[in-house]
Amino acid sequence: MKSLVKTSRVIATELRQAERSINLAQRDIAQFLLTTLDATEAHELSPAMSHRTVKATVGALAALTEGQCQMAIRAHVSAETVGRDLGLDVTAWGEGAPKPMLAGLEEAVAA
């Protein structure tokens, strides 16, 4: 059982790391957008260029947000379900365990 507990901690850690990576990417893209808009204004660049940049950047942010939502709904729920099926309790996940399931998430997965 000890190796199963170690494995569950590795899985939970990697899941949290993936979520942090998405958060950092969202922050970096938002900063990119602000910097680009500042540069566009400072150098009086074409509004058409600004529009394309804003549209592409907002699209990237939306994709990351959707990815994070899917991770919250699917990956966390799936990891927790497998953990419970294996007989693991919250303690087995280690510190910073995957987020507790909410009723709404369970319903979304069931749908």
Side-chain angles (χ1 to χ4, degrees):
M1 181 66 170
K2 286 185 180 186
S3 64
L4 181 59
V5 170
K6 285 182 182 179
T7 301
S8 69
R9 286 185 178 151
V10 169
I11 291 168
T13 298
E14 289 184 4
L15 188 59
R16 288 189 303 273
Q17 186 176 5
E19 194 168 50
R20 277 192 301 273
S21 295
I22 290 174
N23 288 337
L24 290 173
Q26 287 172 320
R27 183 204 62 200
D28 292 346
I29 289 176
Q31 184 59 51
F32 166 78
L33 177 60
L34 292 173
T35 302
T36 302
L37 291 174
D38 286 346
T40 301
E41 184 179 338
H43 297 286
E44 299 175 356
L45 299 174
S46 159
M49 182 201 156
S50 275
H51 178 72
R52 285 191 308 263
T53 302
V54 168
K55 187 175 178 181
T57 305
V58 168
L61 281 169
L64 284 168
T65 302
E66 178 63 23
Q68 189 170 29
C69 179
Q70 292 300 316
M71 179 181 292
I73 290 172
R74 290 200 170 87
H76 280 289
V77 173
S78 296
E80 290 171 0
T81 300
V82 168
R84 277 194 313 277
D85 290 347
L86 293 171
L88 299 173
D89 58 12
V90 176
T91 308
W93 288 108
E95 189 173 327
K99 296 174 184 166
M101 278 201 264
L102 303 172
L105 291 179
E106 289 178 326
E107 291 169 10
V109 171

